[in-house]
Amino acid sequence: MVQYSTDRLDASFAALSDATRRGVLEQLGRSDASISELADRFHMTLTGMKKHVGVLEQAGLVRTEKVGRVRTCKLGVSRLAGETAWIEEYRRLWAARFDALDEIVEELKQKEMSDERRQGK
Amino acid sequence: MVQYSTDRLDASFAALSDATRRGVLEQLGRSDASISELADRFHMTLTGMKKHVGVLEQAGLVRTEKVGRVRTCKLGVSRLAGETAWIEEYRRLWAARFDALDEIVEELKQKEMSDERRQGK
C-alpha cells in the first residue's frame, strides 16, 4: 500500500466519522462561515460546534481566523489526498480478491459440467 | 452532495480511523486469515484483535466464518463506494473553492499592476 502518515490518516478518518462534521465540510465547501452560523445551521450549542471544528482543525480539514470577536471557518489545506489513495488501493485489492473468487466459481462450474457430460447426464 | 446512509458512513470512517484496522484490511486483501493469525501478525492479544475485527464487521468491511474452532476473516461486501463518492465530492468542492480564491488573487494582482501603470510607476 502507499505509505502515508498513520496519524494523519487516523485523524482524518476519525474527523469524517461524524455526520455533523461532514456537513460542516460540505457547508464550508460552499462558503466560509462563523462558528455561530455553523452552530445555528446544525442546531447545536456553540460549545458543541467548537468541539467539532476543533476535531476538523486538528485533521487539517478546516482552518479558522479570528477577526474581532468572530471566528471564521474555512476549508483547510488537506484535500484528503492520502485518504483517497488509501481507499483507491483498498478498492483495487477488493476487486482483485472478488475477481479471483469469480474465477474459482467459474472453474468449479466448468468442472461440474464436464463431470456431468462424462457421466452421460 | 450524494446521499448515502449516514450511519454507514459514520461506521466505515470510524473503522478506517485506526492503523491496525487498516492493516487488517490490507492483509485480508491479500489472503483470508484467522483471528489468531491476525493477532500474531499485529502483535496483539486475541481479545484485542477480536474487538478490531468486530468493528470492521459492523461496518461491513469484514465477514467471518467459523469452521470448527477457527474463525476465518475475509473481506466483506463493502467496497467503500459511498465513502469514495463522499470524498470525491468533497475534493471537487475543495478544488472549486481554491480555484475561486486563485481567481480573486489574480484579479487583485491585475488591478494592482494597472494602478501602478496609471500612477506611472
Side-chain angles (χ1 to χ4, degrees), chain B residues 46-106:
Chain B
L46 267 179
T47 314
M49 185 48 76
K50 271 183 195 160
K51 277 189 195 157
H52 281 311
V53 167
V55 173
L56 290 165
E57 215 170 356
Q58 283 285 321
L61 291 165
V62 161
R63 68 212 151 89
T64 66
E65 270 173 27
K66 197 163 188 179
V67 178
R69 299 184 59 182
V70 178
R71 182 171 290 280
T72 302
C73 306
K74 302 162 190 277
L75 289 187
V77 290
S78 167
R79 63 179 86 188
L80 295 175
E83 295 70 15
T84 305
W86 192 91
I87 289 186
E88 272 170 9
E89 179 66 8
Y90 172 78
R91 283 162 67 83
R92 205 187 53 74
L93 281 173
W94 192 96
R97 288 291 287 162
F98 280 75
D99 285 352
L101 278 183
D102 278 351
E103 269 174 39
I104 293 169
V105 170
E106 200 50 44

Side-chain angles (χ1 to χ4, degrees), chain A residues 51-70:
Chain A
K51 277 188 196 160
H52 281 311
V53 167
V55 172
L56 290 165
E57 216 171 355
Q58 282 285 323
L61 291 164
V62 161
R63 69 212 151 90
T64 66
E65 269 173 25
K66 198 163 188 180
V67 179
R69 296 185 58 181
V70 179

Side-chain angles (χ1 to χ4, degrees), chain A residues 9 27-28 98 114:
Chain A
L9 291 184
Q27 173 58 45
L28 299 181
F98 280 77
S114 73

